Amino acid sequence: MRNVLEAAASARVRRVVVTSSIAAVGVHGSEERPLTEADWNESPATPYAVAKTAAERLAWSIAEREGLDVVAVIPSTIIGPGFHRHTPVTTFFDVVLSGWLPFALPAETSYVDARDLADAQIAAYETESAHGRYIASGACYSLRELVGFIAQAAPGVRVPRVVLPIRLLPPLIAADWLANK
């Protein structure tokens, strides 16, 4: 990140569009107070969230120091056609499609189609008035809703019908940790 931004500043590039991550914004929004572009993840809990938050903060620091025009596009969970290897997110879909998932987790997330994200990145570059951070995201779905969509699209796939009660999640995580230690 540092090398690219410093080279862009030296070359007097008109604008740099940084692709950040919703992980740099945080995960603790609510219906009453949804997260916005003004929010930062002040206590990232995963290496990915730590890295994405630090990288975007570095980009803004270099932009200020070098006088570089930076716009950040912040995608939520990216899905869409044409991925070549699984990410933790696409692995979920693979597990559901294989019929292996015995229950849905009590979680929800928002998604953005990779093609819509590409359009947002182009718009961030081409729109002269663009500045700051822009969240690129679609609707938010529970994992139960997602498996329902999969069941409609692929009727022969066995999908979970039960949502794991939230109180059972900590022991399940602990058991997984012990099994994979």
Side-chain angles (χ1 to χ4, degrees):
M1 176 76 73
R2 179 185 310 278
N3 292 341
V4 169
L5 291 172
E6 289 174 350
S10 294
R12 301 193 191 284
V13 169
R14 180 178 76 82
R15 171 174 284 165
V16 175
V17 176
V18 171
T19 302
S20 186
S21 168
I22 202 68
V25 172
V27 295
H28 298 295
S30 66
E31 284 189 33
E32 297 78 34
R33 201 218 167 273
L35 296 173
T36 71
E37 290 86 349
D39 291 301
W40 283 91
N41 191 343
E42 299 299 341
S43 55
T46 65
Y48 177 81
V50 169
K52 292 306 270 187
T53 303
E56 189 186 342
R57 286 189 185 274
L58 176 65
W60 289 113
S61 173
I62 292 170
E64 185 176 331
R65 183 185 78 222
E66 300 290 337
L68 187 61
D69 182 10
V70 167
V71 176
V73 177
I74 305 167
S76 59
T77 306
I78 304 168
I79 58 173
F83 60 86
H84 298 285
R85 63 182 167 83
H86 281 295
T87 66
V89 172
T90 61
T91 298
F92 165 78
F93 291 99
D94 193 43
V95 168
V96 172
L97 288 169
S98 72
W100 183 86
L101 193 67
F103 46 77
L105 295 173
E108 59 184 34
T109 192
S110 55
Y111 294 88
V112 62
D113 187 288
R115 295 161 292 191
D116 294 333
L117 175 58
D119 289 343
Q121 292 164 319
I122 292 166
Y125 181 77
E126 292 179 346
T127 304
E128 193 66 37
S129 61
H131 67 281
R133 304 170 85 204
Y134 294 91
I135 294 174
S137 183
C140 188
Y141 298 104
S142 70
L143 296 188
R144 181 180 200 135
E145 289 173 303
L146 285 176
V147 297
F149 296 150
I150 291 169
Q152 288 174 352
V157 173
R158 191 186 79 181
V159 298
R161 305 276 183 224
V162 176
V163 176
L164 180 73
I166 192 89
R167 70 182 179 280
L168 295 180
L169 202 50
L172 185 64
I173 292 169
D176 180 64
W177 180 82
L178 287 171
N180 293 294
K181 190 171 138 177

